[in-house]
Amino acid sequence: MIREIRLLGDAILRAKAQPVPEVTEELRALLPDMFDTMYAAEGVGLAAPQIGLGIRVIVVDPHDEATAPFALINPEVVATGAEKEKSEEGCLSIPGIRELVERPTTCVVEGLDLAGEPVHMEAEGFLARILQHEVDHLNGVLFLDHLSPIKRRMAISRWKKERAK
């Protein structure tokens, strides 16, 4: 089932999501909806707050042959590399806006899989960027927050102008 994606201005996007105490059947049943919603919006990642749920769950599909789509529960970025790169990012909660965002090119993420087992993932390139973006969502951070104040204001202004059409 495709869920409604919450848009910029919705308070849940700025709230810190709560850890999931245990992996339940109810939680596992949510994940197909999250994937369906992400694919319908042509995204590569989706965090539970983006569909109105204040829990620490993400789904990711970088659309590359080396990485199968996956979900992480309670993911945390535990380390990032020193090297950084600017690349264009967008967000399903801020449709139509894309900006250059600087992020570390590598990261280490830990969380739980669907069986509740620990996951340790070392990521680089596009996958590292997706993971950092989605974990940011769980902490109430949007990609616009990584921009300079002037660029952020301009992007928000463009977004509001587009929404008004």
Side-chain angles (χ1 to χ4, degrees):
M1 178 175 83
I2 296 171
R3 306 270 186 122
E4 178 186 350
I5 295 176
R6 302 297 179 93
L7 299 178
L8 180 65
D10 191 311
I12 198 160
L13 296 176
R14 291 305 194 170
K16 190 168 171 79
Q18 297 303 304
V20 174
E22 68 176 304
V23 180
T24 62
E25 285 307 314
E26 182 181 25
L27 178 65
R28 285 187 199 97
L30 165 70
L31 296 172
D33 287 2
M34 288 185 68
F35 278 108
D36 288 349
T37 302
M38 175 183 73
Y39 291 134
E42 300 180 3
V44 293
L46 184 74
Q50 291 180 277
I51 58 167
L53 302 172
I55 56 174
R56 298 186 74 80
V57 177
I58 64 172
V59 294
V60 173
D61 183 354
H63 301 289
D64 72 39
E65 292 167 14
T67 310
F70 64 92
L72 283 176
I73 296 136
N74 298 333
E76 296 293 340
V77 175
V78 297
T80 56
E83 185 180 331
K84 294 186 176 191
E85 176 181 80
K86 280 190 177 184
S87 189
E88 194 175 71
E89 282 188 34
C91 180
L92 300 180
S93 292
I94 315 167
I97 300 298
R98 300 188 66 77
E99 290 289 337
L100 285 177
V101 175
E102 185 175 66
R103 291 192 189 267
T105 58
T106 61
C107 69
V108 177
V109 174
E110 292 180 347
L112 301 174
D113 66 14
L114 297 183
E117 295 298 316
V119 172
H120 175 92
M121 181 181 292
E122 296 179 16
E124 61 183 41
F126 188 48
L127 179 58
R129 180 169 293 277
I130 296 168
L131 287 166
Q132 292 171 72
H133 179 111
E134 298 310 327
V135 172
D136 270 358
H137 271 299
L138 302 180
N139 295 321
V141 175
L142 300 174
F143 85 96
L144 296 177
D145 300 332
H146 294 280
L147 304 175
S148 70
I150 289 172
K151 285 193 180 234
R152 184 178 320 120
R153 279 196 301 275
M154 288 171 54
I156 291 170
S157 176
R158 273 197 331 273
W159 185 76
K160 286 180 178 174
K161 198 177 288 183
E162 283 297 311
R163 300 279 306 150
K165 288 183 179 176

